[in-house]
Each structure stands twice: as structure tokens, then as C-alpha cells.
Amino acid sequence: MCGIVAYKGHRNCHSILLNGLKRLEYRGYDSAGLACLRNDGQLSITKRRGKVKELEEALTDKNCDGIGIAHTRWATHGRPNQVNAHPHADQSRKIVLVHNGIIENYLPIKKFLISKKIKFKSETDTEVLVQLIGYFYNQGKMDFEKAVRAALQRVDGAYGIVIMNTDYPDMMIAARKGSPLALGIKDNEFFIASDISPIIKHTQQILYLKDSEMAVINGNKYTIKSVLKDITMPKNIEQIDYKIDDYDKGKFKYFMHKEIHEQVDTIANTVKGRVKSDAVLLHGLSEYWDEIESADKIYITACGTSWHAGLIGKLLIEKFSNTPVFVEYASEFRYNHTLVDNKTVVIAISQSGETADTLAAIKKANDYGAVTVGICNVPGSSVGRETDCGVYTRCGHEVGVASTKAFTAQIGILYFLALKLASAKGEISKTSLKRHLDYSDAMKKVKTVFRQEKLIEKIAKKYKKATDFLYLGRGMNFPVALEGALKLKEISYIHAEGYPAAEMKHGPIALVDKNMPSVFIVPKDKTYEKIISNIQEIKSRKGKIIIVTDSKNKVLKELANDLIIVPRTNHYLFVVLATIVLQLLAYHIAVSKKLNVDQPRNLAKSVTVE
Ligand code: AGP
């Protein structure tokens, strides 16, 4: 799971590749590397453990014009160290490759290559692939393109690769199966990357490689070929009118903090132009609206935080429109027996639009004839392209690995989708719909949550040494509890579990003692009294109680060790306000532990392997 960027043209490679890698660091940041063909024809490979900055400092050899490949890694096979970093070369050190994906049958191939006296340097599956290409090229006496094709036909799993060969100084080959690769074309220059973010500032002429296609760039020309046989494929070039802003932390120390604060505007941006006082528009769905409206059932599929949004979406859609909704992790959906057919709508939610499992789930849904709907934050991303229709969350680039503003934007879209469905099916009265659509007052309340930040920071410092947390909520606030726990785990490395508040007594209550904080999410709704009993159950076992509520009252004050009160609002929006509180709590705990909240250990912003 990694980021690839490659360049073939006449300019110096280093700055193009390094800037590209910085854009792709969201895909992994445990090591990075770059290979280019020096002007004297020699191969130059530089790799470093750690972030792209480390690689940048190590790159002293500036003598590289014309052709180079680079990579930022999130380790799958082999530890995150310099040896295992990409690019990897074959034994002859003529062929060098960067790879995104997993070669699943690497062990038998490795065994075969070892029997042919090939020596390995790294623990990676990627080195097995480049050595196999090298084997066909050197020992099988195949030409470069044939050797690549022969090797790719023998590997199982997923790959997006770019390869160079010192015997072919004017040639670069890229191929994909499962892992996306885009080719940018500009006069006599070519840019290849895992997504368009490193390419788009150079050219808007983009060709997305399809599965089992390879791009063979030779001199100033390129052809698209099949990996399966030596035939030429059509060139489907798209003009992508999309600008990518530069990242900027503004007055904040971390992107995550900035992104939490941006929610004052992003939630409103998501909705702008999509909602009238008496109707929900969502133009992105128009072409397929008849099928969506008449669907028998809906599946929502996603991973991580986006999956939590899906759980909230289920409750909203079922409540308002009486349409049955199933929510499945994309990694499960792709293999489970699912009841998907052409009367099913499958909604895929993804901030990045590049999550491998979510893309595989979309593919499965498309194959089964379902209408696929994307809810995604990144225009031009794979989710946007692979689904039949969709809605962009429009909350701006999210850089922090822990997703924040994308989550609340996803909830916004799901809320309005639920209302649109309800209205189309006659399940909601005009007056009620109008009341729900008048969200302007509720939006103002988002701002007031930040008045509690000092208090939240104080609470964070108080509990920063806890080793375990419970997050408890009911109804829509159960997914909020899951999300609060995930945020804390991701950035503070404290173990946390989210549970339905009443379910806690069926097991997790055994963990409770005087050191363990439980965060209760307690809106004044129909489950209020029930949840008070759940709090009592923890309290009587000496657990510490942190309460997030919209109700100022004596009972809660007495029960809570710490109380955070958000303004009262439409209770669908309470989930957003409570989420922001939990994001701030996780953030301040992590910061008080002096951790890098934007790039936590072991994680990547986008999980592009299975
Ligand atoms: C969120 O904080 C996580 N980093 C992670 O769970 C994320 O939500 C998940 O990987 C899905 O990503 P996506 O929304 O880009 O598909």
C-alpha cells in the first residue's frame, strides 16, 4: 500500500518526483525511495527509512534528467527499513521497479528463483516480481516488454508497477491489476502516479490504466497494451478539469486540528446548492434516481470512519424512508454472500476514494448489476470513476490521517439522501421535510461547540495516562461512540472500545475499575433515562464518567466526573456536535502525549491494499 510517481521527459527528475511523493505520502510514510537513470547511463537508487523529507535530504546526486521512478511505502511484506524500501532492482541491477499492491504467490516464485541461483536482498514480495522480470529478461533472453508481460502473467494478487531498464534508457513500462495507476500526457513528457494528485499540476490529459493493461512509453511515443497478450488497447484520454490546492496548516500546529475546526464551514459547504427550502436536489444522483428510489434494499459499504458514517446512514435512511439498509465493511462485502442484484443500490463511502477494499466492493456490486453510488471527498478518485453516480462531500483536502471533517460531511450527505428518499416515497410530510431542511440555525451551533475546547483540553490532560477507554452511546450515537474510540486509538495509541451503552453490561463492564474512563454520549432523547441507568452501572463500579450531552441538569452533573455540554439542536445534528467533541478530546490527549497526530505510527491516510 504505497504511492508511486514516475516521470519520463527531458527535465530533471528529482523535484518532479519528490513533489509527487509529498502529495502521495497519505498512502504510506514508513520509507521512501527514488531511482533514476543518470546522464552517464548508470542507475542511481536512493532509499531511506522514514518520511519523504528523509529521502529529500539524502538525495545528493542531482545528475538525473529524463527518466525516474519513486515510491513512498506502507510496509506489507517486510519491515519498514531501508532495504525493504522501493525501488527494487533485479540481480543484474539493470531492471528497477516500484510497486503498489501485494504479490500473493511470491513465496513459490521466490523458491523457484532461488533454485535458479538468484539472490534476494529484501523481505518484500516486490523484489520477487522484479527478479522474475530480470530472470525472463536475462536468462530467458526475452526483450524487456516481453519479460515484463511474462512475469506479470505468472503473478497472483494486485499490482500497480512502473519499471525501467538500463538497457532501454528511453523506455518506461507501467502496468496495473487492482491497484490504480494514471498516466498524464503532456507533449513529449509522461507522468505516472497512483492517483492524479502529483500529475495534475503538469497536465490535465489523463489516461487511467484499466486492469491488465500496460503503458509502454518509448521515446516520445506511448502505446497501451494488454498484459495478457501482445495486443494494442485503445487510448481513452480524459481531460480532467480539477485543481489541487497546496496544503497549508494556517495558524494550527497540526492539519488534524485545522480540519476539526474547518467543520464550522465544511458541513455547510457540503450541503450548499444541494438543498432548497422544500426539496433535496443531489444532482449527482439524477441519472439513476428512478432506480435508487425504487430499489428493494440498500447496502452501504466502506471502511473505518467511513463505515461509521454508513452505520449512521442506515439509521437515517431506514427511519425516514423505510427502505431496508445493510451496512458491511467493504473487506467483508467483497467476499461475503450478499443479496445484491439489479434491484439493489450499493452506496460506497470513502474520503480518499482510493481504499482498495471499497473499490473491490464497488466492482462486485457493479458485476452483480446493482446501481452503485459513491459518497467521496476526492474528485477524480477511483471511487468517483468506478461508481454509476454519486455525491462529492466537498469538504476540501483532508491531510490528517485521522478522518474528521470528511466524516461529518458524509453524515450530512446521508441525512439529505435519507430525506430525499423519504420525500420521493411519500414517507415524510411537506411540513416535516421543510423543518428538516431548515438547517441554518443548526449549522450555527457547530461554531459554539468550539467554546468548549479549553474544557476539553483540560479533561484530555486529566485522562492522558489512562490505558483503556470505553465509549458508549445508543442509536445514532453508538456509531459516534465507535468513531470516538477509533479517533483515540489512532492518534493517542490508547486502547478504546465503542459499544452500545446497554450492551456494555454483557462483557466490557468487567474491565471497569477506578482507572478506567467511560465516555457517555447522552442526548436528551427517548433513550435518555435508559442511558442514565447505564451510567449508574459504571459509576457503582467506580469507573470514571465523562459525559457529552445537550442537556444541562443536576442528575448528569452529579453522575459525571467531567461534563461537556453542547447546544441543544435537532437531534440528528447532535451526532455531529458530539463527534466534534470526541475529535477534540482525542486530539488533545494525543497532543498532550506529544505524538504526531497527523501521521500516527503504522497508519496511512489511504489503505490501498487489501
Ligand atoms: C479514519 O480516521 C481512518 N484513518 C480510517 O479508518 C479511514 O476512515 C479508512 O481507512 C477509510 O478510508 P476512506 O474513507 O478514504 O475510504
Side-chain angles (χ1 to χ4, degrees):
M1 178 171 83
C2 313
I4 289 175
V5 57
Y7 173 71
K8 160 113 188 48
H10 51 270
R11 284 189 274 163
N12 186 277
C13 295
H14 282 184
S15 64
I16 294 173
L17 296 179
L18 283 169
N19 287 334
L21 284 184
K22 285 177 192 162
R23 277 283 171 191
L24 292 172
E25 222 171 6
Y26 76 93
R27 290 170 168 260
Y29 41 78
D30 59 42
S31 53
L34 186 152
C36 59
L37 217 52
R38 285 169 44 92
N39 301 344
D40 60 8
Q42 295 300 306
L43 193 62
S44 161
I45 304 180
T46 312
K47 312 199 240 186
R48 281 297 174 271
R49 185 191 167 149
K51 312 228 156 75
V52 174
K53 200 156 61 68
E54 258 74 51
L55 175 70
E56 188 169 20
E57 282 161 15
L59 272 175
T60 46
D61 187 354
K62 303 273 181 235
N63 193 7
C64 282
D65 295 324
I67 183 164
I69 58 181
H71 190 267
T72 178
R73 178 170 188 248
W74 183 86
T76 57
H77 296 60
R79 283 159 292 167
N81 59 26
Q82 194 165 314
V83 179
N84 289 332
H86 301 211
H88 289 283
D90 78 320
Q91 189 156 279
S92 67
R93 276 187 71 83
K94 286 181 178 171
I95 299 175
V96 62
L97 168 150
V98 285
H99 167 224
N100 183 12
I102 293 177
I103 306 301
E104 287 167 359
N105 59 339
Y106 79 104
L107 278 174
I109 298 176
K110 189 169 184 176
K111 218 165 142 197
F112 164 77
L113 291 170
I114 290 171
S115 76
K116 298 289 174 196
K117 309 265 173 294
I118 287 170
K119 290 199 170 57
F120 284 83
K121 289 189 167 153
S122 77
E123 304 157 322
T124 63
D125 53 330
T126 302
E127 191 188 354
V128 174
L129 177 56
V130 73
Q131 294 279 22
L132 186 64
I133 297 169
Y135 170 76
F136 285 124
Y137 179 71
N138 293 309
Q139 303 193 23
K141 310 260 177 275
M142 293 181 183
D143 71 30
F144 183 30
E145 186 187 323
K146 270 205 183 109
V148 171
R149 188 176 285 112
L152 292 180
Q153 287 173 356
R154 282 162 178 81
V155 298
D156 298 330
Y159 57 78
I161 52 169
V162 187
I163 324 157
M164 311 189 308
N165 182 339
T166 52
D167 288 344
Y168 293 76
D170 222 11
M171 187 183 268
M172 179 175 265
I173 297 179
R176 102 159 242 198
K177 185 178 151 208
S179 301
L181 271 188
L183 167 69
I185 303 138
K186 182 191 179 192
D187 305 324
N188 298 328
E189 290 182 292
F190 301 92
F191 306 83
I192 302 168
S194 323
D195 71 46
I196 58 170
S197 61
I199 302 178
I200 207 76
K201 76 178 219 194
H202 302 288
T203 175
Q204 295 181 319
Q205 301 290 306
I206 306 287
L207 186 151
Y208 291 98
L209 277 186
K210 297 204 179 84
D211 270 349
S212 299
E213 279 187 352
M214 56 201 264
V216 182
I217 302 166
N218 199 352
N220 295 333
K221 299 208 167 67
Y222 76 101
T223 35
I224 304 299
K225 299 262 194 92
S226 165
V227 170
L228 308 174
K229 21 183 164 137
D230 189 1
I231 51 168
T232 305
M233 308 299 285
K235 292 176 179 172
N236 296 316
I237 301 174
E238 296 174 37
Q239 163 83 21
I240 306 288
D241 294 317
Y242 171 49
K243 279 209 177 76
I244 293 185
D245 302 331
D246 287 335
Y247 306 155
D248 175 17
K249 283 190 208 146
K251 61 175 185 181
F252 297 91
K253 188 164 172 212
Y254 288 104
F255 282 109
M256 181 184 175
H257 200 200
K258 178 178 174 238
E259 287 156 8
I260 294 173
H261 275 260
E262 279 173 353
Q263 290 170 110
V264 169
D265 301 314
T266 51
I267 305 169
N269 277 348
T270 303
V271 176
K272 214 178 272 169
R274 288 165 165 168
V275 173
K276 291 205 299 191
S277 63
D278 58 352
V280 180
L281 305 174
L282 298 181
H283 293 300
L285 308 181
S286 316
E287 212 186 314
Y288 287 86
W289 185 252
D290 289 346
E291 287 94 323
I292 295 171
E293 187 191 318
S294 59
D296 288 345
K297 58 185 173 310
I298 295 176
Y299 270 88
I300 300 182
T301 186
C303 305
T305 289
S306 298
W307 182 77
H308 296 157
L311 293 176
I312 294 174
K314 169 190 165 72
L315 296 172
L316 289 167
I317 295 171
E318 288 184 340
K319 154 109 183 93
F320 286 117
S321 77
N322 279 319
T323 314
V325 183
F326 304 90
V327 187
E328 280 196 28
Y329 284 118
S331 54
E332 295 298 315
F333 179 93
R334 63 187 290 186
Y335 294 116
N336 281 353
H337 175 77
T338 41
L339 306 173
V340 175
D341 56 21
N342 61 3
K343 292 290 288 170
T344 311
V345 167
V346 176
I347 302 176
I349 309 176
S350 173
Q351 186 286 129
S352 63
E354 299 296 341
T355 303
D357 284 319
T358 308
L359 291 172
I362 294 169
K363 185 170 183 317
K364 176 173 172 177
N366 284 335
D367 291 347
Y368 278 58
V371 170
T372 48
V373 177
I375 297 181
C376 173
N377 194 38
V378 182
S381 62
S382 302
V383 166
R385 286 181 294 106
E386 305 293 330
T387 43
D388 291 321
C389 57
V391 188
Y392 285 112
T393 37
R394 294 199 306 221
C395 55
H397 202 87
E398 193 179 68
V399 181
V401 163
S403 189
T404 52
K405 60 180 180 174
F407 177 68
T408 47
Q410 290 162 353
I411 296 172
I413 298 292
L414 290 160
Y415 179 41
F416 290 110
L417 174 60
L419 291 171
K420 187 172 169 67
L421 269 173
S423 151
K425 292 179 156 196
E427 298 279 354
I428 191 166
S429 71
K430 278 223 152 38
T431 333
S432 175
L433 180 67
K434 272 189 168 175
R435 200 160 20 86
H436 282 289
L437 295 182
D438 182 13
Y439 61 90
S440 56
D441 186 50
M443 287 296 147
K444 284 186 203 133
K445 308 232 163 115
V446 173
K447 208 170 186 171
T448 60
V449 173
F450 291 96
R451 292 193 198 136
Q452 306 288 345
E453 187 162 1
K454 279 269 162 277
L455 168 69
I456 297 169
E457 194 177 345
K458 219 167 116 197
I459 298 172
K461 285 185 179 145
K462 183 166 157 191
Y463 293 104
K464 70 172 186 183
K465 292 214 170 111
T467 52
D468 305 272
F469 268 73
L470 267 182
Y471 282 73
L472 302 162
R474 302 188 77 145
M476 284 200 301
N477 292 300
F478 161 50
V480 172
L482 289 175
E483 176 60 9
L486 179 66
K487 286 291 88 93
L488 188 70
K489 275 185 271 210
E490 281 189 293
I491 58 169
S492 75
Y493 317 144
I494 295 173
H495 168 247
E497 282 190 56
Y499 251 82
E503 185 65 20
M504 154 280 294
K505 56 187 177 295
H506 297 282
I509 197 165
L511 300 168
V512 174
D513 63 13
K514 65 178 176 14
N515 299 316
M516 172 133 167
S518 293
V519 181
F520 277 91
I521 305 140
V522 193
K524 191 86 184 184
D525 64 10
K526 64 175 184 204
T527 59
Y528 176 78
E529 298 300 341
K530 306 279 173 208
I531 216 169
I532 295 293
S533 310
N534 303 143
I535 298 174
Q536 301 275 18
E537 287 149 14
I538 299 266
K539 184 96 184 158
S540 54
R541 283 151 185 96
K542 299 198 170 63
K544 298 279 180 306
I545 310 282
I546 303 167
I547 294 177
V548 183
T549 183
D550 56 358
S551 168
K552 233 183 208 169
N553 70 55
K554 226 169 124 205
V555 179
L556 292 178
K557 215 170 159 199
E558 274 171 23
L559 284 172
N561 294 84
D562 295 279
L563 186 65
I564 304 160
I565 303 173
V566 300
R568 259 192 99 62
T569 169
N570 148 1
H571 83 264
Y572 298 101
L573 195 80
F574 173 80
V575 300
V576 170
L577 305 188
T579 297
I580 296 174
V581 169
L582 301 188
Q583 291 169 348
L584 287 170
L585 183 64
Y587 171 79
H588 284 292
I589 291 179
V591 167
S592 67
K593 293 179 81 178
K594 302 201 176 358
L595 296 168
N596 179 350
V597 297
D598 282 340
Q599 291 185 321
R601 71 179 181 207
N602 304 341
L603 293 176
K605 181 72 184 153
S606 174
V607 182
T608 57
V609 287
E610 184 167 354

